[in-house]
Amino acid sequence: MSVAQASSSPSRRSAGWSPTAGGAVYSASKFAVEGWMEGFAQELAPLGVPSLLVEPGMLRTDFMDRKSVSFGTIDIPDYADAIAQYRAFVDGANGNQPGDPKLLAARIVALASQGEAPSRLVFGDDARQWAGAKVDQLRQQIAQSANRG
């Protein structure tokens, strides 16, 4: 038995690792999932229960379709540009997501059945690119903070 939990891709567009203006609430939910799963994995390990945190890139689903996506109804002029950019991103991405959800499902099942599966699956070229960029950004910020005493 193992536990698999989906989070979100570590993208530059409002997801698990990098919040984007206009999508901060969504990002907050993904940060919560990330932290919860990392802690939960430590609780499960002594019981011999492996866990897998799944961070998929953009998948070809109806997730970004207007039937699925909802936005707030309160307009705040100071945030209008950020919200417009975020909504344009969602509209442009809808139907153009590169990832295949069936391939992700097969990969999760395969990893969950392995004895020594990784604790994190960053799935898709887009997700791996975004994750790498975020790790590089964190390294740079850590180095900058260390250099300032």
Side-chain angles (χ1 to χ4, degrees), residues 73-133:
T73 58
I74 299 172
D75 291 324
I76 301 172
D78 290 342
Y79 293 102
D81 287 341
I83 298 301
Q85 288 177 21
Y86 184 70
R87 287 182 180 183
F89 164 74
V90 170
D91 289 341
N94 183 36
N96 297 308
Q97 301 97 319
D100 183 343
K102 290 180 182 178
L103 289 177
L104 173 59
R107 181 91 167 124
I108 292 169
V109 170
L111 287 173
S113 64
Q114 290 179 2
E116 293 292 323
S119 60
R120 184 178 308 265
L121 168 61
V122 180
F123 181 83
D125 291 340
D126 54 348
R128 285 187 293 275
Q129 179 184 3
W130 295 328

Side-chain angles (χ1 to χ4, degrees), residues 15-31:
W17 293 5
S18 296
T20 300
V25 171
Y26 179 72
S27 292
S29 71
K30 297 306 164 180
F31 273 101

Side-chain angles (χ1 to χ4, degrees), residues 12-57:
R12 286 178 247 142
R13 287 290 186 183
S14 180
W17 293 5
S18 296
T20 300
V25 171
Y26 179 72
S27 292
S29 71
K30 297 306 164 180
F31 273 101
V33 168
E34 297 275 331
W36 169 68
M37 237 357 240
E38 287 185 11
F40 194 40
Q42 294 178 37
E43 295 174 10
L44 292 172
L47 304 174
V49 178
S51 64
L52 177 65
L53 178 59
V54 180
E55 298 172 323

